[in-house]
Amino acid sequence: MGAAEAVVLPTMQRILANWVPPEKKATTLAIILSGFQLGTVCAYLVSPWLMDQMSGLDGGAADIEGWRGMFYIYGVAGLVWLLPWYFLAKDSPSANNNIGSAEDCTETLVNTMIEDDASLVFQECLVENEAGEITKDNAGGALKRIQDIQLLVQSAPWSDFLRSRGVWGMMLAHGAKNFELYNLLAWTPTFFNQQYGLNTKESALFSIGPSICGMIGGLTAGNLADFMLVKLSSGDGNNDITTETRTNVRKIFQSVALFGPAT
């Protein structure tokens, strides 16, 4: 589960860079991340009921709450959500920007060259078939796909990643954020149970407080960050904002957000 979740945040950032203009990126990201908090709230409210309903049906004893069944249901829900995402989602509004012949196309990692986004993305080989449809080049089958993956791994600038201050900064920031997040998720219900003697349902109601505050704080900060960028651009959008200014605004909000978990 952790390996599958690992791609969510970097993939989300990549999609936002393609779909959302810079002056609205913080607000859009805040809306998406508030979905994480909303999911936590819903899980806290629904999970006790699910465990009651799955008691004795998930392989456990009838007198034990069905916590296994809760995981089964959440897993199936994730697979159901995967279907529309797989068939409808696109990397960018115009994903067919690398069309050519299969002989001339090489799948590799390339710089996005979008605004201040210097991340690397997967450049796919797209070819036009006899019917005029744009498709991925699948010539060579599974063996070619394995070779393509090896090429991608080899082409990644691993030594530059290890020497990059930005990469280390992101790792430290993400580690601090996860320290706060998983402490709340793992120990908040236990705290209410052991400290105040609340049962699972009662502790769940009190445990949603941090997530609700996170939603409110995130949405407020995202809108405020975009508002600051617009004001700094003299009302002309974000085109005349330097990369340094935009980065400093983001650093300020990131630092404020991590100050609480750090203390």
Side-chain angles (χ1 to χ4, degrees):
M1 184 175 66
E5 288 182 345
V7 303
V8 173
L9 289 176
T11 301
M12 180 174 62
Q13 297 281 4
R14 172 75 264 119
I15 292 176
L16 288 181
N18 290 339
W19 282 89
V20 180
E23 67 272 14
K24 296 182 180 180
K25 187 178 294 184
T27 300
T28 306
L29 183 61
I31 293 173
I32 294 175
L33 291 179
S34 68
F36 284 72
Q37 307 287 357
L38 180 61
T40 301
V41 171
C42 294
Y44 274 132
L45 296 177
V46 175
S47 294
W49 177 82
L50 283 178
M51 288 191 292
D52 286 343
Q53 300 301 312
M54 296 301 296
S55 178
L57 301 176
D58 61 349
D63 58 342
I64 298 179
E65 293 180 330
W67 59 269
R68 298 178 183 85
M70 179 185 65
F71 280 96
Y72 297 152
I73 292 176
Y74 287 151
V76 171
L79 293 176
V80 172
W81 169 246
L82 177 64
L83 295 176
W85 177 263
Y86 180 81
F87 289 106
L88 300 178
K90 295 195 301 182
D91 291 341
S92 63
S94 178
N96 300 331
N97 54 0
N98 184 35
I99 304 172
S101 65
E103 294 77 10
D104 299 332
C105 183
T106 301
E107 294 184 337
T108 184
L109 293 174
V110 296
N111 193 285
T112 61
M113 302 303 292
I114 300 177
E115 294 293 336
D116 61 329
D117 191 342
S119 61
L120 298 173
V121 296
F122 179 39
Q123 176 179 271
E124 293 181 317
C125 289
L126 301 175
V127 297
E128 186 173 354
N129 60 22
E130 296 179 357
E133 299 174 340
I134 306 302
T135 60
K136 296 180 182 179
D137 176 27
N138 293 319
L143 179 59
K144 183 178 184 300
R145 299 305 302 172
I146 294 175
Q147 294 173 344
D148 290 339
I149 293 173
Q150 292 175 340
L151 176 62
L152 289 175
V153 173
Q154 293 171 359
S155 63
W158 298 108
S159 59
D160 292 338
F161 289 159
L162 295 177
R163 292 193 298 266
S164 171
R165 294 173 58 188
V167 170
W168 282 101
M170 287 187 294
M171 290 172 59
L172 292 173
H174 190 60
K177 172 62 172 62
N178 278 351
F179 177 82
E180 168 263 344
L181 173 63
Y182 288 107
N183 266 286
L184 287 176
L185 293 177
W187 293 108
T188 302
T190 303
F191 167 78
F192 284 117
N193 175 264
Q194 295 182 354
Q195 187 71 21
Y196 298 105
L198 302 180
N199 59 31
T200 303
K201 294 181 180 179
E202 294 168 338
S203 63
L205 290 175
F206 286 96
S207 299
I208 66 176
S211 295
I212 293 177
C213 292
M215 291 173 59
I216 297 173
L219 292 171
T220 302
N223 281 276
L224 184 58
D226 284 340
F227 175 78
M228 289 178 60
L229 289 176
V230 171
K231 287 298 183 181
L232 290 173
S233 66
S234 303
D236 297 328
N238 239 28
N239 295 331
D240 57 343
I241 288 290
T242 64
T243 299
E244 182 180 4
T245 300
R246 188 182 298 118
T247 300
N248 287 336
V249 170
R250 293 171 180 171
K251 284 181 177 179
I252 290 172
F253 282 89
Q254 185 72 65
S255 299
V256 172
L258 295 176
F259 180 76
T263 56

